Amino acid sequence: MLRTVMLKGKEIQYDLIFKDVKNINVRIKPDGSINVSANRRIRTEYIDGLLSERADYILSTLNRFKTARSQRADEGCVELDRIMFLGDEIPVKIIGSHENKAEIKNGELLVFTYHDDDGKIKKVIDEWYDVQCKHYFDDIGNKVYHLFEERIKKCPEFTYKYMRSIWGSCNPVKYRISINKKLIRYDTRLIEFVFCHEFSHLLSPDHSSRFYDVLSSVMPDHDKRKKELKEVSSKTGNYR
């Protein structure tokens, strides 16, 4: 059962699981989720109160994990046991091989490699991510272009790279849109939002009322998607 508690003015959500246990066990995972197990005879209000008493520890641990995730994201790194891809969490399986490649099969990312060094294995996964960015971002960008093709002269050039503090950028002079590679981890709805946002800048370089008129005309729920992107990225250590 999902519950929400206020810890020093911050709203924190945790998953409460009732078990045949004597103690209340609080587990904070590296992804920022909190699991609490307790005997079902214990009142939920008492559990909320216990979390409030441990507020300093819980918040500091969440911040520590968030910083660690942020540092890994800056470096383009991924976890070795799981990855995020288009909004789904996918387990990773390392397979000894004479070649270095990765592919998704039966719901797993199979990483074939002759390396046993974590850094080199992550490099294989990052190279796989790069291929997926090119494939999926090109496809999404071209689909979004059709929403604008009556108002712009041609489809702009797309480039993809890791960016620290923005999800995308637009250069109307060079007719180029750049997209943050980190977006490949998120749902396609959120990638579409960033593309629509940057395409709208081809018609309005600032964030004037005209810009939002253009964006709303092609994506009426852009505010909802922006909020969703912000919420999802805050949990995974990304930005904006």
Side-chain angles (χ1 to χ4, degrees), residues 5 94 104 123 136 145 149-150 160 167-168 182 194 205:
V5 63
I94 311 298
I104 288 182
K123 183 179 179 182
Y136 285 96
Y145 164 65
E149 61 182 340
E150 294 184 358
Y160 314 122
W167 290 120
K182 295 174 189 175
V194 176

Side-chain angles (χ1 to χ4, degrees), residues 168-183:
S169 63
C170 174
N171 188 324
V173 176
K174 294 184 178 180
Y175 227 65
R176 178 186 301 153
I177 286 175
S178 296
I179 300 296
N180 193 329
K181 286 183 180 180
K182 295 174 189 175
L183 281 168

Side-chain angles (χ1 to χ4, degrees), residues 18 20 40 61 71 76 78 111 122 137-138 142 152 158 170-171 196 222 227:
F18 288 114
D20 186 17
R40 65 178 59 258
T61 302
Q71 290 173 345
V78 295
V111 180
K122 288 178 179 179
F137 288 177
D138 277 359
N142 287 322
I152 63 177
F158 302 137
C170 174
N171 188 324
C196 282
H222 63 87
K227 181 179 179 181

